[in-house]
Amino acid sequence: MITVNGIEQELVGSVAELVAAVTREQRGVAVAINGEVVPRGEWGTCPLADGDTVEILTAAQGG
Amino acid sequence: MDTALQVGTDADPLILDGGEYASRLILGTGGATSLDALERAIRASGAEIVTVALRRVGTHTQGLVALLDRLGLRILPNTAGCYTAADAVRTARMAREAFGTNWIKLEVIGDERTLLPDAVELLAATRTLVDDGYAVFAYTGDDPILARRLADSGVTAVMPAGSPIGSGLGIGNPYHIELIREFIDVPVVLDAGIGTASDAALALELGCDAVLVASAITRAADPAAMAAAMRHAVLGGRLAARAGRIPRRREARRSTANIGIAEW
């Protein structure tokens, strides 16, 4: 299992899959695994492991 | 050209991080009731730079980046919601990846009730991010000494709070804002506390290079109208600051000469 944006789910093959499941956008989106930023170019190749915590963030209205 | 005609044009640009901006009004996007309302406010404000926060992808985040890109705006991501230097640095790294910008409005909050910044954490995060190549826009209090420390640390702009975020209380200590302007050479952007147009004008009159307004526009009954008011206030304030105001006097000084006055 991994945790994505605070919700537990099954381990999947790539970060790119996780992003595609929550948004069609790529611009304005950033991903971190266990607190470390994963550059966009590595979304397809960066390995995910059981127990990982993933944050997928983007712009929200804010001052 | 007359000074009056230069303000708000390319001849009197706001210079930030080597770039030139005609508008001295930076718009915070927080608080808008819809993307349509936000778009109308942005257009009325004339702002070229807008702030955004970073949050988990969800329905509430849909369409915002596309809107800002369509309007050709420069995005200034912030670290809103961070209470430690470590969290703020992590958020800044995510912002750089998300938006491909080294700009970061650094907010490290020290207290939930006032949302005033934590000076110690702010300075620590500033040093880390400046070393890392970020252009740091540091949200700070109105302490001139801390402003000097931030400027010495290499920030791109110092952003003192006029009063607590979203309070609309205006500029609580204009004397300190004026001192900050005198103490440092980097741009000063009055951030937080603006309630209405006269507050924005005062910030410019005190020597601030620009103002950041969010709630005062987005939560006004008519956000687009208030955005237009802020746009004019900033132009007026900038012009007044450069026009050389008369000194304050305790007693009257007649403006009509007594020469030639009739005798009855």
Side-chain angles (χ1 to χ4, degrees), chain A residues 14-33:
Chain A
S14 71
V15 171
E17 268 180 66
L18 292 177
V19 173
V22 290
T23 177
R24 282 174 299 170
E25 309 291 334
Q26 289 221 342
R27 154 100 176 133
V29 177
V31 177
I33 300 179

Side-chain angles (χ1 to χ4, degrees), chain A residues 27-28 40 55 58 60 62-63, chain B residues 51 53 55-56 69 97-98 105:
Chain A
R27 154 100 176 133
R40 187 162 298 131
E55 291 287 334
T58 189
Chain B
T51 65
R55 292 291 180 269
R56 288 171 171 171
D69 283 349
E97 173 64 20
K105 183 191 157 194

Side-chain angles (χ1 to χ4, degrees), chain B:
Chain B
M1 198 194 291
D2 283 353
T3 305
L5 299 175
Q6 289 177 351
V7 167
T9 72
D10 292 346
D12 177 40
L14 168 66
I15 298 173
L16 284 174
D17 191 31
E20 295 190 356
Y21 302 88
S23 173
R24 291 173 181 274
L25 175 57
I26 299 173
L27 192 70
T29 59
T33 51
S34 69
L35 286 182
D36 278 351
L38 181 62
E39 177 170 354
R40 285 194 297 275
I42 291 171
R43 288 182 183 280
S45 75
E48 295 158 280
I49 302 168
V50 294
T51 65
V52 297
L54 272 170
R55 292 291 180 269
R56 288 171 171 171
V57 170
T59 50
H60 61 289
T61 62
Q62 271 171 19
L64 180 59
V65 176
L67 169 65
L68 303 180
D69 283 349
R70 178 161 58 76
L71 296 176
L73 298 162
R74 178 86 196 232
I75 292 178
L76 172 57
N78 68 29
T79 62
C82 292
Y83 282 77
T84 65
D87 281 358
V89 167
R90 214 171 277 134
T91 304
R93 293 199 170 124
M94 291 291 269
R96 182 158 66 179
E97 173 64 20
F99 307 111
T101 178
N102 69 335
W103 282 21
I104 191 74
K105 183 191 157 194
L106 182 58
E107 288 184 41
V108 192
I109 300 304
D111 170 67
E112 185 65 29
R113 192 163 66 94
T114 61
L115 300 179
L116 287 170
D118 183 318
V120 175
E121 296 293 314
L122 171 66
L123 204 52
T126 295
R127 288 173 174 153
T128 302
L129 291 171
V130 168
D131 283 351
D132 228 3
Y134 286 84
V136 173
F137 295 63
Y139 166 65
T140 179
D142 60 14
D143 175 4
I145 309 301
L146 179 57
R148 181 184 276 159
R149 289 292 199 118
L150 291 164
D152 290 347
S153 301
V155 297
T156 294
V158 169
M159 305 183 74
S163 53
I165 291 171
S167 71
L169 287 173
I171 299 175
N173 194 339
Y175 169 69
H176 272 199
I177 299 298
E178 227 167 12
L179 274 183
I180 288 173
R181 172 67 293 164
E182 291 169 16
F183 270 32
I184 62 176
D185 290 328
V186 301
V188 177
V189 181
L190 197 286
D191 181 7
I194 285 179
T196 188
S198 53
D199 298 329
L202 177 59
L204 274 288
E205 288 172 11
L206 293 171
C208 293
D209 297 279
V211 294
L212 190 153
V213 184
S215 307
I217 290 175
T218 59
R219 295 192 169 125
D222 185 341
M226 186 58 87
M230 292 293 178
R231 176 185 202 157
H232 290 289
V234 166
L235 291 173
R238 173 68 178 174
L239 195 49
R242 300 176 77 196
R245 60 152 297 154
I246 61 167
R248 290 182 173 83
R249 304 163 57 89
R250 295 187 62 224
E251 289 164 15
R253 180 182 178 192
R254 69 180 79 251
S255 57
T256 307
N258 274 345
I259 303 164
I261 197 168
E263 290 178 26
W264 308 102

